[in-house]
Amino acid sequence: VQLQASGGGLVQAGGSLRLSCTASGSIGRINDMGWYRQAPGKRRELVATLDFDSGSTNYADSVKARFTMSEDNNKNTAYLQMTSLEPEDTAVYYCNAHATIRDDPHEFWFWGQGTLVTVSS
């Protein structure tokens, strides 16, 4: 199973970006996906999570009302729409998935490689 994160880039403060995370390979059933970020010199922190069954989302306080997480279950893809970006949002953004492997009922955590978001002031 591979998770491919994309959509990062350089944007000015106040701008927007949309990140995508697609699961491929022997992915079975996705229970939930999440976005995390790690700024230079800081610990990795949770940004948002989405439950694929209920559609419920959870956001870090720092991004509420600015970021929106959504999914396309048919494409095994989650999105993170980021608006009103601030320099403090600069980080490598990682996605993860809590899912099964095809023909295996056990659940595993998978991580993508990260995509860099840089917000200039």
Side-chain angles (χ1 to χ4, degrees), residues 28-102:
R29 181 174 181 273
I30 298 176
N31 296 312
D32 50 83
M33 294 183 76
W35 287 98
Y36 292 73
R37 66 186 182 186
Q38 187 166 18
K42 295 188 177 182
R43 299 175 67 176
R44 189 174 297 189
E45 63 176 359
L46 172 69
V47 175
T49 61
L50 186 149
D51 185 306
F52 270 44
D53 287 332
S54 67
S56 64
T57 53
N58 179 53
Y59 298 95
D61 288 342
S62 59
V63 306
K64 280 180 181 177
R66 299 190 298 123
F67 291 9
T68 302
M69 188 172 178
S70 60
E71 53 88 6
D72 184 336
N73 207 352
N74 291 330
K75 296 181 180 179
N76 290 331
T77 297
Y79 305 96
L80 185 68
Q81 180 67 49
M82 305 185 295
T83 63
S84 301
L85 282 162
E86 304 167 353
E88 293 74 23
D89 295 316
T90 295
V92 177
Y93 284 70
Y94 298 90
C95 61
N96 75 351
H98 185 214
T100 63
I101 297 174
R102 200 174 301 151

